[in-house]
Amino acid sequence: MNVRALAAQVLGQVLGKGRSLTTALPPSLKRAAPEDHGLLQELCYGACRWHPRLQVLLSALLTRPLDPREQAIRALLLIGLYQLWHLRIPEHAAVAETVTAAHQLHKPWAAGLTNAVLRAALRRQRELTAMLENDPEADTAHPHWLLQRLQADWPDDWPAIVAANNAHPPFTLRVNSRHFDREAYRRHLAIEGYAAEQITEAPTALTLNTAVEPAMLPGFAQGWVSIQDAAAQLAGPLLDVSPGLRVLDACAAPGGKTGHLLECAPHLDLLALDRDATRLQQVADNLRRLGLRAYLVAGDARRPADWWDGIPYDRILLDAPCSATGVIRRHPDIKLLRRDSDIAVLASQQQALLTRLWPLLRPGGRLLYATCSVLQQENEQVVANFLTAQPDADEQPIIASWGRSRSHGRQILPGERSMDGFYYAVLIKREVATGEVTCLPAS
Ligand SMILES: C[S@@+](CC[C@H](N)C(=O)[O-])C[C@H]1O[C@@H](n2cnc3c(N)ncnc32)[C@H](O)[C@@H]1O
């Protein structure tokens, strides 16, 4: 099967079955020749990144709507248009290979359609370009609902957010400070021919100018380094861990931050919890590679009675499930998979997680609330509601060179200092003053 046909199968699963690229792509990568891996990924990720635009284009080019059951053919047409509009593949090769893919998908009837749509796209390029520029969804390549939210939450910054979401993400490493400081690891990279830049905000972050197969990185198998965006690397220092503390990582999988916390402070008594047992296995794999240990438990953080031993935690990291609107550049399928109505559901889950986990924190303890969302409803609004309802909770403002202060917490927008979009808020549980006396009115 050629690479366009494989890409159409992957994208067809995203469109038709709501599967993510993270789950749909790997089986097709196994079937593709190694030299096709780069193009297969580019076609799948690129067609998602530009989907809102490509979809408008396709609708303008189809003379009658496609049968909704033909998602692989819809996907193939979008992939064909992606090549013509966004890639520097010679036009005749892009058209011919995409038409061949229709045969390989056992849809010979679609070969003529594919040929006609792609040739019309080339012929009408100027007129179609003008049409796309006048359609905000197509012009920004963002679904209408998301564009509206970005414009409402970030009236000055939304154009920069949109541009960052449509860009390719940087390839950022976290150097394991138990083995090296980052300058020493940078020298190892240089010996292998990789140039790397420091990101000042995160002391362990190095960004490479090109993506690298992890196994090719010096010492990857021995845990010298991990792949993690610099914004995610801020969680470790913000939680302020030190050896021996009792820590709960409440939504831990796949374990990026779990590993970092243990690198920051050895001998943590750390429980890594996640309700998804399959994803929890990735935490185990990550920790094994890093040579680190934690207790791993599959459970629902909203039901501590199922897994908590009753001993309070000094630190809690709540890296909450969210819309991931800060990491669209890494996961452009979010543009296809998320719906406006998801945001309220996520916000109420986030609220419930915060409320249920708070009693597990000891007085004087610290909870770090984190999301990779840029939407206020999941970030400062969740924290504001929580602080209103929780009399023993104080917010500790985050003073930092990165991001921007919000009414509660601190927000990094995607692309700022090369980082992903991330939100952090630090919450401290008030100590009960010893010897405090409650004065009762005299009877
Ligand atoms: C943003 S991801 C966490 C990323 C992780 N902290 C890291 O740095 O690699 C959110 C995780 O929360 C988990 N999750 C969602 N709802 C949960 C719940 N009620 N209890 C425990 N885990 C939950 C999901 O399975 C997912 O793995």
Side-chain angles (χ1 to χ4, degrees):
M1 202 176 263
N2 79 14
V3 67
R4 274 87 177 166
L6 285 171
Q9 284 186 330
V10 173
L11 184 61
Q13 290 179 50
V14 179
L15 294 171
K17 298 193 176 140
R19 295 186 73 195
S20 70
L21 285 178
T22 314
T23 52
L25 183 57
S28 292
L29 278 173
K30 282 200 185 124
R31 293 171 62 197
E35 63 272 20
D36 285 340
H37 282 193
L39 181 57
L40 178 55
Q41 296 196 37
E42 178 59 48
L43 293 175
C44 294
Y45 275 82
C48 286
R49 184 170 296 121
W50 297 105
H51 179 264
R53 176 177 298 178
L54 300 171
Q55 185 49 47
V56 172
L57 201 50
L58 181 57
S59 302
L61 287 162
L62 285 173
T63 44
R64 55 195 164 96
L66 266 181
D67 183 335
R69 288 168 298 182
E70 299 293 353
Q71 293 296 351
I73 294 305
R74 171 177 298 283
L76 184 65
L77 293 168
L78 292 167
I79 283 164
L81 293 172
Y82 173 58
Q83 295 168 80
L84 299 184
W85 235 259
H86 292 282
L87 295 183
R88 288 205 201 100
I89 296 176
E91 290 165 1
H92 61 276
V95 175
E97 289 288 316
T98 310
V99 171
T100 304
H103 290 286
Q104 295 186 347
L105 291 167
H106 306 295
K107 306 275 182 182
W109 60 267
L113 175 71
T114 306
N115 191 44
V117 165
L118 299 187
R119 292 203 180 279
L122 288 171
R123 221 175 28 248
R124 295 170 53 193
Q125 200 156 6
R126 191 178 291 207
E127 165 217 338
L128 291 167
T129 304
M131 178 199 75
L132 296 178
E133 282 168 6
N134 288 321
D135 178 326
E137 209 166 352
D139 189 40
T140 60
H142 276 61
H144 182 65
W145 70 268
L146 180 56
L147 194 56
Q148 277 198 317
R149 279 188 183 264
L150 293 177
Q151 289 172 336
D153 285 4
W154 301 102
D156 298 328
D157 300 285
W158 71 265
I161 298 175
V162 158
N165 289 348
N166 290 340
H168 283 261
F171 186 78
T172 305
L173 304 177
R174 183 187 80 230
V175 177
N176 185 345
S177 49
R178 288 159 61 97
H179 290 289
F180 295 105
D181 66 31
R182 74 174 153 184
E183 205 36 54
Y185 188 73
R186 184 148 78 156
R187 286 195 287 276
H188 279 281
L189 286 170
I191 292 167
E192 299 297 323
Y194 300 120
E197 298 264 325
Q198 296 189 353
I199 296 191
T200 6
E201 285 72 17
T204 45
L206 282 176
T207 294
L208 269 65
N209 52 12
T210 174
V212 176
E213 197 54 47
M216 304 295 289
L217 292 166
F220 183 78
Q222 295 96 301
W224 293 1
V225 72
S226 299
I227 295 159
Q228 188 180 46
D229 189 79
Q233 297 183 39
L234 300 170
L238 285 173
L239 197 61
D240 187 28
V241 285
S242 52
L245 288 187
R246 194 173 149 77
V247 179
L248 171 65
D249 185 357
C251 292
K257 297 186 191 66
T258 319
H260 190 202
L261 292 177
L262 290 159
E263 287 169 11
C264 290
H267 313 302
L268 287 182
D269 177 6
L270 190 152
L271 172 64
L273 180 84
D274 203 282
R275 74 166 172 200
D276 184 331
T278 314
R279 281 170 64 82
L280 199 63
Q281 185 54 46
Q282 294 177 271
V283 184
D285 296 343
N286 266 322
L287 294 185
R288 192 173 312 113
R289 183 180 64 80
L290 294 169
L292 297 167
R293 292 164 72 95
Y295 301 101
L296 305 193
V297 174
D300 187 335
R302 291 167 303 182
R303 298 169 55 97
D306 295 348
W307 47 266
W308 185 40
D309 60 9
I311 305 172
Y313 292 98
D314 302 299
R315 300 283 184 271
I316 297 178
L317 171 60
L318 172 52
D319 189 14
C322 72
S323 61
T325 41
V327 291
I328 288 178
R329 59 187 190 160
R330 295 192 188 280
H331 301 286
D333 47 348
I334 289 168
K335 292 181 179 179
L336 288 81
L337 299 174
R338 280 264 169 259
R339 299 283 171 269
D340 195 24
S341 54
D342 295 343
I343 307 303
V345 176
L346 285 162
S348 87
Q349 272 179 32
Q350 291 151 355
Q351 204 75 59
L353 281 162
L354 254 183
T355 309
R356 302 275 164 72
L357 289 171
W358 189 250
L360 281 60
L361 189 66
R362 72 156 167 82
R366 168 185 288 244
L367 185 150
L368 179 64
Y369 177 72
T371 74
C372 56
S373 168
V374 295
L375 302 179
Q376 287 179 19
Q377 198 177 344
E378 298 179 87
N379 294 341
E380 49 264 53
Q381 275 182 31
V382 169
V383 175
N385 293 343
F386 174 75
L387 287 168
T388 307
Q390 205 65 53
D392 60 350
D394 288 325
E395 184 187 356
Q396 185 176 86
I398 300 172
I399 314 291
S401 61
W402 48 263
R404 52 193 75 200
S405 177
R406 305 297 287 162
S407 56
H408 295 287
R410 206 164 176 92
Q411 178 81 56
I412 306 163
L413 294 179
E416 280 181 352
R417 316 244 185 159
S418 305
M419 294 196 273
D420 281 347
F422 243 86
Y423 173 83
Y424 288 111
V426 174
L427 302 167
I428 307 287
K429 189 179 263 192
R430 208 166 294 156
E431 303 260 13
V432 183
T434 46
E436 197 173 85
V437 181
T438 310
C439 296
L440 298 172
S443 51

